[in-house]
Amino acid sequence: MWGLASSAVAQTVQPEASAAPAQPAETGPVAPVEAVAPSAPAVEPPPAPELPAETSPVATPEAAEALATPGDAPTVERAGGEPPAPTVDLLPEADSKKFESVVVGTSETRTSGSVHIVKPAQLERYEKDDPSTVLMSVPGVYARGEDGFGLRPNVGLRGVNPDRSKKVTLLEDGVLFGPAPYSAPAAYFFPLVTRMQSVRVLKGPSAIQHGPQTVAGSVEFITRDIPASESAWLDIAGGGYLYGKAHGVFGASTERAGFLVEGIHLRSNGFKELDGGGTTGFRRNEWMAKARYRLVPEGEVRQTLNIKLGYSDELSNETYLGLSDEDFRADPLRRYAASALDQMKWHRTQVAASHVLESGSLAITTTAYRNDFARVWRKVNRFGGAAIANVLADPTSARNAIYYGVLTGQLDTSSTQDTLFIGPNDRSFVSQGVQSVARWSTTTGPLSHSIEVGARFHYDSIDRKHSEDAYNMEGGELVRAGEPTFITASNKDATHAIALHVTDAIAWGPFVLTPGLRLEIIRSRAADRLKGEAKEGSLEVLMPGMGAYGAVTPELGFFAGAYRGFSPPSPGQPDSVKPEKSINYEGGARWTRRGERFEVVGFFNDYTNLTAICTFSGGCVDEDLDRQTDAGRAQIFGLEVYAEKTFRPGGGLTFPLSASYTLTSTELLNDFRSADPQFGAVKAGDELPYVPHHQVFASAGVEGALGGVFVSALYIDSMREKAGQGEAAPGELTDSLLTFDVNANWNFTRWGQLYLSARNVLDAEDIVSRRPYGARPNAPRTVILGFKLAHN
């Protein structure tokens, strides 16, 4: 299954005789669910539960389970409030009126690609703040740890480098949310997952509908819907390391209009202990407002206007500076004095306005959007005469001992060689565009079609102003050296892109065939103000694909697909640099029944050119920043297994169980040299860095009318820090990581709930990364107590 549309997964009613109206994807905030009527008005959808799990902390276990398991009815999950999409009916007639998620016209459980949805009940159960921990419950998704809070996740899918999630297409309500998805795809912004209604991960042929990154897959965050009636919701929590959360929602609707306002404040004093004292924590705020007005609520042609506004900001005392291995084993939560001034500060605004037109089985959604993001990260970058990573790799050598003493504050600066250079990377981003998608369902003889045609015109840019100041270490404190500020970068990159697609889900009995085509037309410009140079680039890429699904029984089906993967080069690259391209294959089997799902998928990505962009977070120095490495041919293959089952023994109790396993193998097939420290001198046969061979997630729990208790476990195999083969050298592997979380909640009234979240209960302390400078830990054990209040 594939296409280009962004909000590809929606909820629909499947009438017996006629298809529901088509719903375009790639939408921002769109019409709420109660606004849309199926094209067969005689079929009445069942009413939504009074307190659905995504809005009520005291939803019944039955309602929560309907949201958490495939094939259940009814479910209430929606694609960001959008009207239903057409679906190919592969269910027996008796089941054809069920609500089901659909992916470009095909039910979620019968799509011909890898699709996983983290549903509202699952998000409520585990109370996660870190997007990485939510996403790693999905097979094929892994992450490289950094700050322990998940402020800037490093997410990868199916073997791609997770550095700053730049090889994954990221969306919120169908709109690209990366600061500059084409010009600078490194995702220094991620929305707070705690305010999301659901999260969707598409991999394999399903992922080609979301661009520009199509090699591995896409991740889409779905925000809360506008409620059908007046609704208020509050979540207050506090815990270890002065953790605090205040999260409130209020919304209401009439027959023609509706709105929702949501705000959240998240904070912590930080779990690291800075030499000499000082805070290592953060504070973050996010606000969102949605509004809807039905211009023409009834009739042959229905029209709706929607708008979504957002504001976010963060102040975090975060650093790239880690520890030597010896210091990590002695105290993993220590932080050196040289990082005392490090601080990230940013703010972001967003606006998305959409118009939805529906007529019979045709629906057209047009969305205009703009995101502005400005960030300043002041951090320690380097010594005058040594690389910090090299110092921490061997801190006891005669040459490095002095540098190490300055880093830790034990020695004073004695020369320009051990002077520290600290400075802000000041960057401003713009991402804006207009996208429109039309969906139409029809039949030709025995074949039913769900056709989708879409277009997106997009512009984004990044303006970089990087500088450094010299600092001396004196008595364990950093003091300005009095030298002039040194400008290290002053440039602007910009990209215009047109993305077009067409796809058709063709159903014939139990079979679905989904051919499609995607076209990217890209024009870029890079201007270096320091050098007085400018460079322009252009690229056109055509990406065909095909997916197929066959149902053996109503519960069991097999699927397979192939498509062309693509990742664009960033602006300003030499003419010799090529885009990343691959031919990707997958095939598998899926069993689904009420409360049950079992899926096995094999995948194989055959790269003609694998690429990487040098970044600070990967350990690159100034002269190599944003330079692309063409690694040539590579192969990535693996196996993904997912299973879930809910036991219902009676007595009002349910026992939900789930597990996922991912096996990934990578191989570079060419010899080459790269200035990117994650590669270096590569020999054919080397494995890629930061891709675990094995990863396992498992959860088990019990739910009843009074509440529930859940236990989850995550195991991540050790990962290479640098491309290589055979046994890794000391200091070039992360630790394997095994963590356990326990969550419990008590519904003390029909409108209130208490909850307890214990994260990393066994207090595992392991190295999750050494990039860019030294070993860094996962978050330690943290216990959080909170309560939720809801009024509908």
Side-chain angles (χ1 to χ4, degrees), residues 80-135:
E82 63 192 46
T87 183
V88 176
D89 187 3
L90 294 176
L91 299 176
E93 183 174 323
D95 296 328
S96 64
K97 296 180 183 179
K98 288 185 177 181
F99 279 93
E100 283 201 353
S101 296
V102 301
V103 183
V104 193
T106 311
S107 68
E108 173 198 345
T109 57
R110 286 151 176 82
T111 182
S112 52
S114 299
V115 177
H116 284 269
I117 302 176
V118 184
K119 296 180 180 174
Q122 294 163 294
L123 293 175
E124 289 284 336
R125 285 169 182 164
Y126 297 110
E127 291 296 336
K128 304 289 189 182
D129 296 322
D130 184 347
S132 301
T133 58
V134 171
L135 292 170

Side-chain angles (χ1 to χ4, degrees), residues 525-543:
R525 188 177 190 274
D528 190 322
R529 290 184 286 258
L530 294 181
K531 296 180 180 179
E533 298 175 353
K535 184 176 180 59
E536 296 184 348
S538 63
L539 185 66
E540 298 86 32
V541 178
L542 194 63
M543 289 165 278

